[in-house]
Amino acid sequence: MSVTPASEPQEWYQTSPQRLEWELAEFAARGLPAQAEVASTGRMRITTSLPFDGEPVEILVIFPFEYPDVEPTVYGPPGLVGRHQTRVVGNFCLIEDPRLDWWPTMSAAGLVDEDLRWLLEDSAAGATAVAGGEADMPEPLSQHIAVDHSVVVVVPDPFWAIELDAGHGRLVLAEAFLSNSLVVTEADGIGHGEAAALDVVTNAKKARHAALWVALGVGALPLWPSHVELLDIGLAAWPELLGKLRETLKRERKRASVSGFVGVTFLEEGPRRGDTRRGWIFLDVELDRKGERSVLRALRAQALTPAERARRVPELVGLAEARVAVVGAGSLGAPITSELVKAGVGHTDLLDYDRFDVNNCVRHLIGPRWAGVEKEIAVAIETETLNPFVKVAARHIHVGGGQDDQSRLGLILPEVDLVVDATGSHSAARVLQRRCRDHGKTLVLASLTAGSYGGEVAVFRPDGPCFWCFVLGQRDGSVPSPAEGPRSNTTPVGCSTPAFSGAGFDATALAALAARTVVQACGRTSYPSLESDYIIVNFRGPNPWRQGNLQVHPECPLAH
Ligand SMILES: [Zn+2]
């Protein structure tokens, strides 16, 4: 059997030359010159021109391989305008909203004649006009410095403080835990990195590198500085910035040159337009015996801080103060815990009492390496790596077990905002509902049906309808029940250790819903509050999602 080699994919202007003709006609219709040529890369490019401040400037449009599904990129002379143009290569930021600002029926001529023309007119008119026409996004200086994207420098607090007690000094960079990225662990005059953040990203076995840092004054920097300009301005601020490299050259006489990092920090725009924040750039500098210096590459900083997390989930701010007990570290409790940790719940108590079965990897958060380990410990360790700013406490407690378990549960309950029952056990749910009511705590129940055909999430307030009311309502049909699979295949280990079958993604989908309910029920955030007391989910069949409010059931054995 012979295999026919796939033919080389062709450029868009080869497969649809009429599209190129149309593009050129669009330029002509708008009175714009257009010179088309194929670059050495094979990409089609059209050279045109637009007026800027009364003078014509050359504009280059480069069409990507997947044009017109992918939009063209428009370039001008680097440094033409102060905002919305990269300093180094000169491409303009014309597409603010990719879903609206480019559509394959649009032409590159239109991008140039409309979007770019407006930007150039606004830029010529001044900063106010540019600000009026732009999206509400900052233009931080550090984002305009060309960097090596394969390595980042993780920077925890307190190195982001706006006010620094020193202007320069020593800096220590540790190698990151898994990658060749770096982490700032301490800096003279600023302090030590926050221990929780460092614990997650560094490893005591990895190397540490001594470096130096300097703060640049406001106004010391040109609009978009080059690497060498950054270094020279840093040296002007502190002539000893390359002192470490000079010492190494003195000590290691055989070396012709040495290289190492210097940290340069400055104030820049961000995180929102018009705001001020601290920026960091790390320069990998080479110094030779003649005193010649060059910058090998620049690295960008990534903040590992609670404030930077909060900017990505502003509705979840407030969860740092929350404390939640999750009962059950199984295929529901583990992903519930991981979602709460990611969301930023400050303290999670995770309760379980048995050990991990490797075959539960089919739907569990943790892998076979945790075989035989107590589940609450394994899940606490794994989930704590997701967010260095929260605590997950493993609690070896069997809810529904003996007196010891009961008393240890009694120590936790007064401390938590609410309790999540992810055990899938009615007896555990009954114990938890009684204990939660005793302590005035809300109970959130999450459970899956046989085969994970469906599931339910329900909220029981200490003074409202209870778990009994919910179960009795489902029995008489006043509360809907989720779909159930056949019970025949639910005990692969043996009837003394019931284990159910069902897809992990269904468990995780219900866990996400339960975590959302927990955040809504704890009431510490601006995330929308609860819409209902229960959600019944079917992962197959009609009625995928039903929700409603509970009533006290007339036959409830609790005296409501
Ligand atoms: Zn009741």
Side-chain angles (χ1 to χ4, degrees):
M1 198 179 94
S2 70
V3 177
T4 313
S7 61
E8 199 68 11
Q10 286 194 304
E11 290 275 353
W12 64 274
Y13 54 83
Q14 294 167 320
T15 52
S16 48
Q18 67 282 7
R19 172 82 193 201
L20 179 58
E21 281 169 32
W22 175 78
E23 274 288 1
L24 291 168
E26 285 289 305
F27 277 93
R30 292 164 183 271
L32 294 170
Q35 184 69 44
E37 60 174 337
V38 177
S40 58
T41 55
R43 298 297 100 79
M44 173 60 66
R45 37 194 273 174
I46 290 179
T47 307
T48 180
S49 125
L50 272 186
F52 178 65
D53 233 354
E55 294 293 320
V57 290
E58 191 174 275
I59 302 296
L60 181 64
V61 181
I62 297 186
F63 294 82
F65 184 80
E66 297 284 12
Y67 181 79
D69 288 331
V70 177
E71 65 276 8
T73 307
V74 183
Y75 297 80
L80 183 69
V81 294
R83 292 176 74 90
H84 307 294
Q85 187 190 23
T86 60
R87 181 197 182 278
V88 183
V89 284
N91 59 308
F92 296 102
C93 165
L94 299 177
I95 307 230
E96 281 170 5
D97 182 346
R99 291 165 306 173
L100 291 177
D101 294 345
W102 176 256
W103 192 249
T105 55
M106 293 177 180
S107 66
L111 266 190
V112 171
D113 191 36
E114 291 162 27
D115 304 68
L116 180 56
R117 191 186 286 276
W118 294 329
L119 174 63
L120 295 189
E121 283 172 1
D122 286 350
S123 298
T128 315
V130 179
E134 71 189 4
D136 191 11
M137 285 195 264
E139 289 266 4
L141 189 151
S142 57
Q143 298 298 311
H144 279 270
I145 292 168
V147 294
D148 173 356
H149 290 280
S150 67
V151 178
V152 300
V153 181
V154 177
V155 182
D157 282 327
F159 308 112
W160 296 101
I162 294 278
E163 302 286 343
L164 299 179
D165 289 339
H168 55 77
R170 243 171 15 96
L171 175 85
V172 178
L173 290 166
E175 288 176 10
F177 189 58
L178 292 177
S179 65
N180 56 349
S181 289
L182 298 162
V183 188
V184 177
T185 61
E186 56 179 291
D188 283 353
I190 307 178
H192 279 262
E194 197 188 354
L198 296 183
D199 282 350
V200 168
V201 287
T202 59
N203 178 335
K205 290 179 187 159
K206 290 293 203 94
R208 269 141 173 86
H209 306 282
L212 295 173
W213 70 275
V214 65
L216 307 182
V218 178
L221 289 159
L223 198 50
W224 308 132
S226 67
H227 293 170
V228 172
E229 283 172 319
L230 259 186
L231 179 61
D232 287 348
I233 296 163
L235 279 165
W238 188 39
E240 279 308 297
L241 189 58
L242 298 180
K244 283 257 172 248
L245 296 181
R246 290 197 194 100
E247 278 169 32
T248 312
L249 272 180
K250 224 180 253 178
R251 205 172 51 239
E252 300 181 19
R253 290 168 180 278
K254 286 184 183 162
R255 295 177 67 173
S257 66
V258 290
S259 67
F261 283 102
V262 300
V264 179
T265 183
F266 40 81
L267 296 180
E268 64 178 12
E269 189 182 28
R272 287 180 305 263
R273 198 163 58 136
D275 289 353
T276 299
R277 73 168 170 210
R278 180 156 296 288
W280 282 91
I281 286 286
F282 295 84
L283 302 174
D284 190 358
V285 180
E286 188 176 59
L287 183 69
D288 70 15
R289 294 216 166 267
K290 288 181 223 142
E292 295 285 324
R293 53 184 186 261
S294 55
V295 179
L296 304 176
R297 58 184 175 154
L299 302 182
R300 191 164 288 162
Q302 287 184 359
L304 180 60
T305 64
E308 199 56 39
R309 292 177 59 91
R311 284 190 192 105
R312 286 158 173 76
V313 279
E315 288 181 308
L316 303 184
V317 169
L319 287 180
E321 267 52 70
R323 182 164 171 176
V324 174
V326 177
V327 184
S331 48
L332 256 186
I336 290 172
T337 304
S338 80
E339 285 305 320
L340 295 179
V341 162
K342 284 186 269 177
V345 168
H347 192 120
T348 302
D349 295 276
L350 182 58
L351 286 68
D352 210 319
Y353 63 97
D354 73 347
R355 290 171 184 270
F356 187 57
D357 174 338
V358 282
N359 287 304
N360 277 344
C361 293
V362 292
R363 55 177 166 262
H364 211 286
L365 189 78
I366 57 178
R369 66 165 64 174
W370 293 102
V373 177
E374 287 179 18
K375 285 193 281 188
E376 72 281 6
I377 293 174
V379 173
I381 291 171
E382 283 281 353
T383 53
E384 266 196 351
T385 65
L386 302 172
N387 180 353
F389 306 110
V390 304
K391 175 75 191 154
V392 182
R395 309 285 185 193
H396 187 91
I397 295 175
H398 176 189
V399 170
Q403 192 179 12
D404 216 34
D405 296 289
Q406 283 278 50
S407 52
R408 274 184 287 142
L409 178 62
L411 294 177
I412 293 169
L413 286 176
E415 308 298 325
V416 300
D417 290 18
L418 55 79
V419 177
V420 185
D421 174 22
T423 62
S425 151
H426 268 208
S427 49
R430 286 189 289 264
V431 171
L432 287 171
Q433 100 130 358
R434 179 167 45 77
R435 302 295 305 273
C436 283
R437 290 179 93 86
D438 287 350
H439 284 91
K441 302 294 178 181
T442 295
L443 175 65
V444 175
L445 172 87
S447 77
L448 290 156
T449 60
S452 292
Y453 277 32
E456 56 205 16
V457 177
V459 180
F460 308 117
R461 305 277 184 194
D463 50 358
C466 70
F467 175 65
W468 288 107
C469 301
F470 179 65
V471 173
L472 290 167
Q474 286 187 320
R475 283 193 190 157
D476 70 20
S478 57
V479 173
S481 293
E484 276 202 58
R487 296 199 151 266
S488 52
N489 202 15
T490 56
T491 56
V493 181
C495 58
S496 66
T497 316
F500 69 104
S501 64
F505 45 76
D506 287 334
T508 305
L510 195 81
L513 211 48
R516 178 176 182 269
T517 303
V518 168
V519 169
Q520 292 178 300
C522 87
R524 287 183 180 267
T525 70
S526 62
Y527 192 84
S529 52
L530 279 173
E531 306 91 357
S532 59
D533 295 335
Y534 63 78
I535 302 167
I536 306 299
V537 180
N538 289 332
F539 292 119
R540 43 193 99 187
N543 299 320
W545 177 320
R546 286 164 291 172
Q547 60 188 58
N549 287 312
L550 281 174
Q551 306 294 330
V552 170
H553 197 277
E555 289 163 37
C556 179
L558 283 191
H560 283 290

